[in-house]
Structures are given as structure tokens and as C-alpha cells.
Amino acid sequence: MPDPTTQSNYLQITSEHIALNWRLDFDFHIISGYVIHHLLVKEEHVEEVIFDTSDLTISDIEVAGQCAQFSIAAVREVMGAALHVKLPTGLKVGERIIVKISYKTSKSSGALQWLSKEHTHGKDFPYLYSQCQPIYARALVPIQDTTAAKFKYSATVVSKFPVLLSALRISPPVDGPAHDGKIVGEDFVTYTYDQPIPIPPYLIAIASGNVCYRTFPQYQDKQWKTGVWAEPGQLESAYWEFSEDTPRFLATAEALLTPYEYGVYDLLVLPPASLYGGMEHPCLTFLTPTVVTGDRTLVDVVIHEITHSWFGNGITHSEASHFWLNEGWTTYFERVVQEVLYSRAHRDFHYIIGAKPLHDSLMHYKDRTKYQRLVIDFDYGEDPDDAYSSVPYEKGANLLLYLERVLGGLDIFLPYMKDYAKTFLGKSITTHDWKSHLFDYYGRNGGEEKVKVLDGIDWNAWLYGEGLKLPVQMDYDLSMAKESYNLAKKWNGARSTDDVTALNFTEKDITGFDAYQIIVFLEHLQTFPQLPLQHVKRLGSLYRVAKTSNAELRFRFYEIALKDPASPSAKAFVTEVAKWIIGDDGTCIIKGRMKFCRPMFRAVTRVNQGIAVDAFKIAQERFHPIVRKMIEKDIGLTKQ
Ligand code: BES
Ligand code: ZN
């Protein structure tokens, strides 16, 4: 079945290579230039090539060097407008043809966020960055926007600011003077890049702003290079946060799987408005600055993004329905790395942490139960963003953990994982491809006994099951969670005492807890009925979670404060929560990351929709267009 999120005819003819040639206009918030598609004919007598576009202005198209006829179909919501380009007649399977499209993006491109200087760390220069996953590459370039079709790409980009792409820098050299020795913000410099490994469209990425680079120390005899990009004022703290762990994480992952293929693994710390925690662009992971905490407590995000180098970037889901192959595998393997680096208890602890967002997501979809499934049957033109939740991450990771356990443990599962990677790296696959390989592998390597185990699994429940529970109840090592649970129970037990200061809680209760143990404590506490206002206040000040700059902690504290929308606590905290998301006066989004701002907007809406709507209206222009679209649904301005 063709990918339901694209209108392109990628099964008839596909891009093998894409050359981008762009000029960035920071005054008008437009990228203009051209793209050259090197296409391979896959079906006899194909008469046209159809690309996806969204909000692009096409000026001119050449096919094989000749001016070509083209037409743009009506705009479809979500899908965008299909661009039909006429091809010469008589093309044969295996023939190649070049299509050059001159175009520009729109000011409101769904793929781009143009930040004014006030919204950057340094507040001196504007900033641009892209986010193409899941289906916004079409708002950046006319393309066959499907994960099923991978291509290599090269790019030449002219900008007044340093340019970063999800590819290898060709020129000017990364270790040369910043902006090639020219004046940042004034002089135009041409940057060239090459990505020799085929990638799906959603991994095209660009960032341009006043960023600089610091390389991490060489790790053993590794051929790959790692380092971090950030605005000058953030570079030192970002370096400190990630320099020790990143190369170690990467070396651990490749030792368990196959050698890292992309040559460079850099991090880019984005401005605060960035919408995801991390985004695994090849050669250049984008990170939210909310993970730079000054104590390395949230560096695990990097393990996750590194792991995508194999699961997602290497082995790609061939259409939106099979997205769990990216995130479920990544989450599973990220936790294997935790076990190898730390302990089994650490690994299990992250499953325990994940159980809460999984439950929240399943609840969120109680009226749209198809999104509770691991494999989702999307309708043609349905928005994959509507299905984005913890389900593919956590249900997927639990399925793989379950398989690992029933098949005999990690030692038996690791060789299988390696074989899975070797078999499918470079390809786009479906759940069916994955499952056939699993059966095939254990048929070859475990014989009847293992195949019998696999046959006994309730596949239907795991892959297509709905409801609030996993098909199998999973047991985890609770040792790291125990103290957190006990402390939460103690607070719950103290709810009826009026004089909170008389309660014998002290800040020492959490000394020795790492950030995740505090998270689990707060999450467990949130499972009990709403705490009285005085207790919530005391909790916030005693453990310093009410004012902390660690967003993971503060977010959980606010979930406790706003648990019961009708409670005095919710009423007392609701304005503060709204301000935490949008910043004091709404001019600088503090928490553009969807993981924080969406549940917070929903929680505020439940307490007082007016406050949510007012806060959103003040700050809406500053949210990334994708986030804006999602929040509008969350606060009831548009339909879910
Ligand atoms: N690739 C995802 C982010 C994503 C998914 C963007 C779907 C757009 C559509 C990335 O790897 C991710 O999962 N990020 C997480 C952090 C991670 C540590 C779980 C996030 O941003 O919360
Ligand atoms: Zn991910």
C-alpha cells in the first residue's frame, strides 16, 4: 500500500539524489533557490513526476535541461498541494532523469521557525531552524515526502550567519574561523554540505544563526568526530554537559550494533522555543536547551538520539503506520545502553518512568482508540501529528523487552539485534518486514523451540490492541523506585494534617535522589487524589521544585498542583503555570518544547480555559507553527 501521507508517485519514479541550492533571507523569512532531483524511473511509461509541496511558490521547472510543463493541484489540508511535472514520453525502467525546480518557501512555512533576536540566547542576532518530521519537508522543498523513499543529498547555502545541515560540512572548514572569517550578520558566506548516506525526507535539516563549535576530545581510536554547536554564550555550559558522555554513548551503541556510519555526530543546542527534546538529524542532533541543566542529569536524551542512527535513520519505518519501528526500537535500545553503562536496575527504572506518559497517552486517546494501537491504520491524508504520543515509544519498547525476556534474555537478543541492523540498514521497512525477519532469525538460530515461543505471542494484542493496559503485565526491578514511592506515600498519608510545617518532612528526604528519582516521586504522588493547597506549597518550597530551572521537575510539580481542576491548589497555581510556559510577558517562550507546553496548556484549560486562551494569544506568534497548531487543539480553539 502506498504511504497515505504523501500525494507523490514515488512507486513509479523516485529521487536518488537531491541537490539543494538556497539563499536565506532573514529580513523576509524566506528561503529561495532551487532543488535538483536526480530521479530513477521504476515503472514503464511513467508520464509525470508528482512532488509534495506545502506553501511553496514555484517559479520555474526544467526537465533534462528543458523548460517543462507543470501544474499545481488544489491545496489539501495536511497533505499540501501536489506538484505535477510532465516527463518526456517513452521513459524506460532504470532510466534516470533530472528535474530542476526553482522556488521559494513562504513566511509561514510549517517546516521553519524564524526567531527574532530577542528569542535567542544571545539576543543579538536572529535564528532559523527547521523541523521536518513527520511531514514538513514539503514546506521546505518540493519533494516526494515519504519515509519509504531515501535519497542522498548535497547542499549549497548562502547566509549571513553560519549554516548547519544534517550532513557533512565540505566548506568552509568546521575548524576554521567562524563564518569563514567574515562578519556574522553582515557578510554572506556560502556553505556546502554533502550527505552520502541515503536518508528519508524528514531528516533534512537546517539551522542558521550565531552559532559556534567546540569539538569533543578524540575517543580512543574512533574514526568519527563529535562536538557541540551553540550560541557563544551557551557553548561552555553545553560542552560541559555533553562532552564526557556523548563519545562514550556512541562507542557503546556501535559496539552493541554495527559501526557508526555517518562520520560526524554533533549536537546543536537550539533556542528555548524549540519544540522537541531532541531530534535525530544525521550528523547533527538538535537539542532543546532545557536539557542543559548544569548537572548532566538529562544527558540520556543524547543516548536516545544517538540510537536513532540505527533505528530510524538507518532502518526507517516505510510509512506513518509503522512509526513505532523508529521510536519503540530506539527507546528499547536506549535502555539497553543504560544497562550496559550503569545497571539492570537503571534500565528497568526508565521503563517505570515511561509507564506514566504511556498511561497518560492512552487516556488522552480514550475516544480515539485507534491511536492507542502500536500499528496505526492511517487514512489517506490523515495527520500523523494527531497520533504522536508515548504509545509508539513505550508500547514498542515493552514489546521488545517482552520478546527479549521470552526468548531467553539479553544475551540471546543482542545477536538478533545486530542481525536486524545488518539486514535492514539503509532500507525502509514495515512491521511485517520486521516480524518476518524475527521469525526467520530465530528459525535459523534457535530452532523449533524459539519459533514456538514466537508463535505463542499474542501478536494481535501487541500490534493492534487498544485500551489502557499492555497486553502483558510487565514486571520491573523496583529497587531505584522504592524510595521515591515510599516518600510519595508518606506525603499522601499526611494530607489530613492541617499544619504542614508540623509534618516531619525535610529537604534531606530527597538528598541522594537523582533527578529521575525525584521525577518518579512526583509522578507517584500525582497518582493520589489532589493534595491540599498548603501541602502543595510546602512540597514546592521544601524540595525546590516550584522554582527549579529543571523543566522535567517543575513540570511534574505543576501536574500535582493542577491535578484536580476544581481544587484551591489548581486555582492558586493556574496563572503561574501559564506564565511558566510563555514567559513573564509572553515575549519569550520559555517552554516551546511540546512535551511540556502541551500538557500544561491542557491542564490550564481544564482549570480555566480563559487563562489558557489568553496566554496562548499573547504568545502564539512565538510558538513554532507545528506547536501552535497542536495547542490550538489542546485548548479547544480548533477541533481535536
Ligand atoms: N524523532 C523524535 C522527535 C519527533 C518525533 C519529532 C515525531 C517529530 C515527530 C525524537 O527522537 C524524540 O523522540 N524526542 C523526544 C526525546 C526523547 C529523549 C524521548 C522528545 O523530543 O521529547
Ligand atoms: Zn526518538
Side-chain angles (χ1 to χ4, degrees):
M1 231 191 41
D3 181 351
T5 62
T6 178
Q7 301 187 76
S8 72
N9 60 341
Y10 67 97
L11 294 172
Q12 299 182 303
I13 180 165
T14 16
S15 297
E16 290 184 306
H17 184 275
I18 290 177
L20 302 165
N21 197 299
W22 287 338
R23 189 177 179 91
L24 310 187
D25 185 335
F26 278 87
D27 297 323
F28 290 96
H29 294 178
I30 277 168
I31 297 183
S32 60
Y34 59 85
V35 52
I36 298 174
H37 285 275
H38 293 250
L39 295 146
L40 173 69
V41 176
K42 293 188 145 174
E43 201 180 282
E44 205 77 5
H45 303 306
V46 59
E47 288 171 357
E48 58 171 0
V49 51
I50 310 171
F51 297 101
D52 293 298
T53 73
S54 170
D55 253 346
L56 301 178
T57 307
I58 312 289
S59 50
D60 183 49
I61 300 184
E62 285 174 19
V63 175
Q66 304 287 315
C67 212
Q69 268 183 34
F70 67 92
S71 65
I72 301 167
V75 176
R76 283 185 62 129
E77 212 188 323
V78 181
M79 288 279 217
L83 168 63
H84 296 252
V85 181
K86 190 142 178 36
L87 295 172
T89 46
L91 284 174
K92 299 250 161 18
V93 173
E95 264 187 78
R96 292 187 164 75
I97 190 147
I98 293 178
V99 175
K100 177 179 173 189
I101 307 171
S102 301
Y103 75 101
K104 62 181 185 194
T105 61
S106 89
K107 261 182 167 45
S108 54
S109 162
L112 300 174
Q113 189 168 25
W114 298 87
L115 295 166
S116 55
K117 57 185 183 186
E118 296 79 27
H119 302 111
T120 63
H121 187 265
K123 308 207 181 324
D124 295 326
F125 298 105
Y127 200 105
L128 164 70
Y129 77 94
S130 67
Q131 168 62 42
C132 290
Q133 197 180 17
I135 53 165
Y136 301 99
R138 63 193 69 179
L140 180 62
V141 53
I143 200 164
Q144 298 179 312
D145 199 359
T146 167
T147 55
K150 294 183 170 185
F151 51 84
K152 301 174 183 176
Y153 90 94
S154 59
T156 300
V157 183
V158 179
S159 174
K160 282 198 281 191
F161 299 97
V163 173
L164 305 179
L165 294 176
S166 52
L168 299 168
R169 173 84 74 87
I170 306 297
S171 68
V174 173
D175 52 8
H179 207 43
D180 207 21
K182 307 287 188 323
I183 303 174
V184 172
E186 268 182 39
D187 298 333
F188 282 95
V189 170
T190 302
Y191 288 83
T192 58
Y193 278 87
D194 188 50
Q195 181 49 269
I197 296 180
I199 59 159
Y202 74 84
L203 291 177
I204 297 179
I206 181 164
S208 186
N210 185 27
V211 289
C212 44
Y213 184 62
R214 197 164 158 200
T215 175
F216 296 153
Q218 170 71 30
Y219 195 80
Q220 296 168 354
D221 56 353
K222 296 296 179 192
Q223 296 296 306
W224 36 257
K225 300 255 173 289
T226 61
V228 64
W229 292 91
E231 289 183 58
Q234 280 180 310
L235 191 62
E236 281 315 298
S237 51
Y239 180 86
W240 186 85
E241 200 84 26
F242 303 117
S243 53
E244 234 170 65
D245 292 316
T246 304
R248 199 161 57 99
F249 292 162
L250 187 52
T252 308
E254 68 170 5
L256 294 169
L257 293 166
T258 56
Y260 179 72
E261 285 187 304
Y262 299 87
V264 167
Y265 183 82
D266 285 340
L267 303 169
L268 167 65
V269 177
L270 289 169
S274 60
L275 63 172
Y276 289 102
M279 182 63 216
E280 67 274 21
H281 303 120
C283 305
L284 184 70
T285 281
F286 284 11
L287 285 180
T288 162
T290 58
V291 295
V292 185
T293 52
D295 56 12
R296 297 185 178 153
T297 48
L298 302 179
V299 291
D300 296 352
V301 175
V302 176
I303 310 183
H304 180 96
E305 304 313 333
I306 284 177
T307 299
H308 273 304
S309 309
W310 290 267
F311 308 115
N313 303 9
I315 305 173
T316 309
H317 66 300
S318 66
E319 43 161 307
S321 313
H322 308 286
F323 177 61
W324 82 272
L325 289 173
N326 278 24
E327 298 300 344
W329 261 101
T330 292
T331 304
Y332 166 80
F333 188 76
E334 170 199 341
R335 293 172 186 167
V336 171
V337 173
Q338 310 251 14
E339 170 162 346
V340 172
L341 289 174
Y342 313 118
S343 70
R344 168 63 58 98
H346 269 88
R347 181 195 196 195
D348 280 22
F349 189 48
H350 283 268
Y351 279 93
I352 296 169
I353 296 167
K356 161 86 166 51
L358 173 62
H359 183 261
D360 289 352
S361 298
L362 293 168
M363 279 295 283
H364 178 62
Y365 290 135
K366 66 181 186 320
D367 300 324
R368 287 176 290 165
T369 52
K370 92 171 190 189
Y371 295 150
Q372 293 173 333
R373 296 177 174 208
L374 195 56
V375 179
I376 298 165
D377 207 0
F378 282 97
D379 295 333
Y380 186 69
E382 192 173 338
D383 191 346
D385 271 339
D386 286 340
Y388 182 69
S389 80
S390 293
V391 174
Y393 293 74
E394 298 298 335
K395 219 187 232 194
N398 275 288
L399 166 58
L400 293 165
L401 178 65
Y402 174 66
L403 289 173
E404 175 203 304
R405 288 179 178 175
V406 294
L407 287 163
L410 191 53
D411 290 344
I412 308 265
F413 212 58
L414 272 171
Y416 151 70
M417 257 190 274
K418 211 176 237 200
D419 197 82
Y420 174 56
K422 282 194 183 141
T423 307
F424 292 118
L425 276 179
K427 304 200 168 76
S428 298
I429 66 166
T430 61
T431 303
H432 176 77
D433 299 328
W434 161 74
K435 199 176 143 203
S436 310
H437 169 265
L438 175 75
F439 273 77
D440 181 53
Y441 175 86
Y442 280 104
R444 280 184 282 119
N445 295 282
E448 257 176 52
E449 180 223 338
K450 301 286 183 211
V451 174
K452 226 161 133 193
V453 169
L454 289 174
D455 279 334
I457 288 167
D458 189 348
W459 290 102
N460 197 47
W462 277 105
L463 301 178
Y464 308 107
E466 299 176 353
L468 299 182
K469 293 221 153 50
L470 290 174
V472 173
Q473 201 209 314
M474 300 292 286
D475 294 320
Y476 311 113
D477 176 333
L478 293 175
S479 54
M480 286 186 71
K482 272 215 173 94
E483 283 180 69
S484 309
Y485 285 168
N486 288 341
L487 184 61
K489 281 189 198 123
K490 223 170 118 191
W491 274 89
N492 182 47
R495 62 172 56 250
S496 51
T497 314
D498 284 343
D499 180 7
V500 275
T501 50
L503 295 168
N504 59 352
F505 290 108
T506 77
E507 62 259 48
K508 292 212 184 63
D509 299 339
I510 57 163
T511 38
F513 278 22
D514 70 15
Y516 288 106
Q517 285 171 301
I518 306 178
I519 288 173
V520 169
F521 155 63
L522 293 171
E523 286 187 340
H524 199 62
L525 188 52
Q526 201 220 333
T527 63
F528 299 116
Q530 175 73 52
L531 277 184
L533 174 59
Q534 292 311 320
H535 289 63
V536 175
K537 282 190 173 163
R538 178 87 177 142
L539 173 77
S541 59
L542 193 62
Y543 302 148
R544 301 200 174 84
V545 287
K547 294 279 178 266
T548 175
S549 57
N550 185 323
E552 296 280 357
L553 301 183
R554 188 133 156 200
F555 164 67
R556 265 85 179 189
F557 169 69
Y558 285 147
E559 284 195 315
I560 292 174
L562 266 55
K563 163 137 193 178
D564 175 358
S567 66
S569 168
K571 296 206 167 91
F573 276 97
V574 66
T575 315
E576 182 180 323
V577 174
K579 275 197 181 156
W580 181 63
I581 310 165
I582 66 163
D584 269 343
D585 55 3
T587 54
C588 181
I589 306 298
I590 311 276
K591 300 293 166 284
R593 184 175 173 192
M594 284 206 267
K595 174 176 176 183
F596 302 127
C597 66
R598 290 194 58 200
M600 287 290 98
F601 263 114
R602 281 189 221 134
V604 171
T605 306
R606 284 193 290 269
V607 183
N608 185 328
Q609 195 201 15
I611 295 181
V613 172
D614 288 349
F616 175 69
K617 290 220 158 124
I618 294 171
Q620 58 180 338
E621 292 307 314
R622 323 237 177 265
F623 281 106
H624 188 287
I626 301 172
V627 185
R628 208 179 302 147
K629 173 182 87 177
M630 301 314 290
I631 295 177
E632 281 169 356
K633 295 184 186 182
D634 292 328
I635 64 177
L637 286 183
T638 55
K639 224 175 100 254
Q640 283 281 355

